[in-house]
């Protein structure tokens, strides 16, 4: 321990992590026996589990304890940054590894029930990864275990959640553990609070996902990915082509900085490290306040807004003026940046057939000028530099029956 480190706080955070990890293993193993990691069976197995009082409590505990684990590991990281805990290299990497594992636990666990929010969230996050140059496509295909969401996606995320991540978090936790002189009840204090919460508030679950959700981007952002979406929105305001810097490059650089912090800390003062930590926190909070988007509810039904085929789909227009606008809009679609995301293999949803959902050109006018006016969690940036004529042409192209 360094002289500036408040020993008691750090040790309490560590024993809380150990207690949460242990409790999660017990509950997670119990849930694994009733869960079926197949697209056609996952949702039914989840609802069957929650049909009993014990199963519903287990699902709620697993959900809230996962959130608590992420919050406590982040608190430990912040404490160690502020009080030079990174000088204890073994413990520092234990804390960093625990935080990363807890985050990925959240991301992968959100998909497993196979409800609409979980599936669309997986599609959105992989689409965001796809926006990065060079490595974007490989990251996207790795996350989905293929070019699009499928049963292989669920199988991969289940394997990571149930087998790979537990090993990682065990190793990270072992790096944290040491003789600390704290009472034994310290290990069960936070899990005990989670038990109280789980008894009162069930884990969220929406309607079963369908193939319709496999290519949709309407889910509200989860609280733990909200900071990344905030940076995506902030950089996307600068240019639609640099949003990936906020969502991918900035988090990657921060993670690299944390990995190298034990060595960097030997070359700069603790004041500099604290200043960088404060600057990073303020930057993310500021970006979140303006560009974070609507956060999904922590409880209840988190389903994205339901969409159905429009009853007002028009036959193909024979009006020469409309035909000219469609042609102009198609040309603009291919040249002003739309194809980058909405073309084949792009980071955004395929808009082929979108006119069956929205056949009103006014809807597309709002979408292009301010995407969050029609979807509060849209990751698409606005396009303020397009002329009114271009926006009208694009809106007509997208809304008209081909």
């Amino acid at each position: 321990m360094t002289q500036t480190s408040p020993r008691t706080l750090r040790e309490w955070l560590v024993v809380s992590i150990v207690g949460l990890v242990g409790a999660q293993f017990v509950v997670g193993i119990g849930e694994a026996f009733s869960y079926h990691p197949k697209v056609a069976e996952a949702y039914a197995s989840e609802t069957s589990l929650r049909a009993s009082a014990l199963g519903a409590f287990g699902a709620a505990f697993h959900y809230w304890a996962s959130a608590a684990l992420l919050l406590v590991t982040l608190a430990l990281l912040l404490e160690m940054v502020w009080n030079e805990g990174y000088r204890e290299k073994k413990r520092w990497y234990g804390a960093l590894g625990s935080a990363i594992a807890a985050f990925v636990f959240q991301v992968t666990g959100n998909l497993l029930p196979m409800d609409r929010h979980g599936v669309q969230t997986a599609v959105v996050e992989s689409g965001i990864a796809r926006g990065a140059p060079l490595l974007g496509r490989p990251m996207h295909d790795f996350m989905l275990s293929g070019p699009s969401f499928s049963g292989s996606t669920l199988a991969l995320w289940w394997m990571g959640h149930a087998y790979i991540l537990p090993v990682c978090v065990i190793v990270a936790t072992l790096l944290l553990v040491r003789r600390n002189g704290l009472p034994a009840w310290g290990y069960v204090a936070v899990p005990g609070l989670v038990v109280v919460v789980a008894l009162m508030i069930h884990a969220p679950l929406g309607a079963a996902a369908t193939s319709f959700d496999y290519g949709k981007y309407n889910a509200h952002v989860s609280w733990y990915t909200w900071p990344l979406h905030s940076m995506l929105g902030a950089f996307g305001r600068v240019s639609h082509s640099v949003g990936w810097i906020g969502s991918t490059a900035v988090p990657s650089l921060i993670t690299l900085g944390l990995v190298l912090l034990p060595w960097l800390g030997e070359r700069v003062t603790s004041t500099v490290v604290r200043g960088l930590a404060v600057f990073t926190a303020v930057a993310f909070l500021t970006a979140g306040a303006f560009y974070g988007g609507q956060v999904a509810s922590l409880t209840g039904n988190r389903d994205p807004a339901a969409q159905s085929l429009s009853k007002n789909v028009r036959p193909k227009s024979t009006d020469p003026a409309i035909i000219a606008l469609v042609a102009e809009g198609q040309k603009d679609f291919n040249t002003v940046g739309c194809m980058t995301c909405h073309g084949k293999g792009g980071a955004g949803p395929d808009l082929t057939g979108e006119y069956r959902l929205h056949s009103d050109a006014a809807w597309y006018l709002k979408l292009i000028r301010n995407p969050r006016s029609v979807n509060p969690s849209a990751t698409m940036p606005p396009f303020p530099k397009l002329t009114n004529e271009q926006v009208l042409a694009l809106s007509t192209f997208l809304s008209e029956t081909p």
Side-chain angles (χ1 to χ4, degrees):
M1 283 286 176
T2 63
Q3 290 183 339
T4 58
S5 173
R7 176 186 177 91
T8 303
L9 174 60
R10 187 175 303 171
E11 298 308 325
W12 275 110
L13 291 171
V14 169
V15 298
S16 296
I17 291 170
V18 174
L20 285 168
V21 169
Q24 283 288 68
F25 266 88
V26 173
V27 175
I29 290 173
E31 287 193 312
F33 282 110
S34 62
Y35 180 75
H36 301 161
K38 296 181 179 179
V39 165
E41 302 173 11
Y43 185 82
S45 68
E46 186 70 21
T47 54
S48 176
L49 170 69
R50 300 189 190 197
S52 69
L54 181 60
F57 167 75
F61 182 89
H62 202 58
Y63 172 77
W64 292 111
S66 179
L69 180 62
L70 179 55
L71 292 174
V72 175
T73 54
L74 290 176
L76 178 61
L77 272 184
L78 289 173
E79 187 279 324
M80 296 182 78
V81 167
W82 199 259
N83 294 298
E84 301 179 74
Y86 46 83
R87 300 189 188 281
E88 293 184 271
K89 292 181 181 178
K90 186 179 80 168
R91 278 198 129 186
W92 171 250
Y93 289 122
L96 182 58
S98 296
I100 293 173
F103 175 79
V104 183
F105 263 129
Q106 283 277 7
V107 173
T108 54
N110 187 59
L111 170 65
L112 300 186
M114 278 295 293
D115 65 354
R116 294 188 61 230
H117 179 269
V119 169
Q120 287 201 29
T121 297
V123 172
V124 169
E125 303 307 339
S126 61
I128 291 174
R130 175 68 180 85
L134 299 179
L135 296 178
R137 184 57 183 266
M139 286 193 298
H140 171 273
D141 290 357
F142 171 75
M143 290 175 69
L144 294 184
S145 189
S148 59
F149 188 94
S150 66
S152 297
T153 309
L154 178 63
L156 175 67
W157 289 39
W158 163 251
M159 179 169 46
H161 190 85
Y163 299 104
I164 299 174
L165 285 172
V167 174
C168 295
V169 82
I170 285 175
V171 172
T173 303
L174 289 175
L175 294 176
L176 287 172
V177 174
R178 63 187 294 175
R179 295 179 63 88
N180 52 50
L182 293 180
W185 62 264
Y187 291 90
V188 299
V190 174
L193 291 175
V194 175
V195 167
V196 175
V197 174
L199 288 171
M200 296 188 297
I201 309 175
H202 288 173
L205 184 67
T210 67
S211 57
F212 177 85
D213 297 294
Y214 293 3
K216 295 301 175 184
Y217 286 58
N218 301 317
H220 293 326
V221 60
S222 299
W223 66 271
Y224 43 87
T225 54
W226 177 79
L228 305 183
H229 283 243
S230 301
M231 281 297 178
L232 171 67
F235 279 84
R237 287 279 176 163
V238 177
S239 170
H240 69 272
S241 62
V242 299
W244 66 273
I245 295 178
S247 62
T248 305
V250 170
S252 298
L253 288 173
I254 291 174
T255 303
L256 178 62
L258 293 174
V259 170
L260 298 177
L261 190 54
W263 285 271
L264 296 175
E266 296 174 356
R267 292 161 175 77
V268 298
T269 66
S270 60
T271 302
V272 172
V273 173
R274 291 172 182 170
L276 288 172
V278 171
F279 172 80
T280 302
V282 171
F284 273 93
L285 290 173
T286 302
F290 291 98
Y291 311 113
Q294 185 171 334
V295 179
S297 171
L298 295 177
T299 62
N301 186 330
R302 303 178 296 173
D303 282 350
Q307 291 183 313
S308 58
L309 297 181
S310 174
K311 297 179 181 179
N312 300 313
V313 175
R314 299 178 297 274
K316 185 173 181 178
S317 178
T318 57
D319 184 336
I322 297 296
I323 294 174
L325 273 175
V326 169
E328 188 66 27
Q330 184 173 19
K331 184 181 75 172
D332 288 339
F333 188 87
N334 293 327
T335 58
V336 301
C338 304
M339 281 293 290
T340 303
C341 288
H342 300 292
K344 185 177 180 180
D350 181 2
L351 298 182
T352 303
E354 191 72 13
Y355 68 95
R356 295 181 179 275
L357 294 173
H358 305 286
S359 58
D360 181 6
W363 188 88
Y364 296 96
L365 284 166
K366 293 179 182 178
L367 174 70
I368 295 168
R369 286 302 189 199
N370 180 14
R372 287 185 177 170
S373 67
V374 295
N375 179 4
S377 295
T379 56
M380 172 180 164
F383 287 78
K385 295 181 180 179
L386 294 179
T387 66
N388 292 334
E389 291 75 15
Q390 286 177 309
V391 174
L392 178 60
L394 284 166
S395 300
T396 305
F397 165 64
L398 293 169
S399 63
E400 285 295 317
T401 303

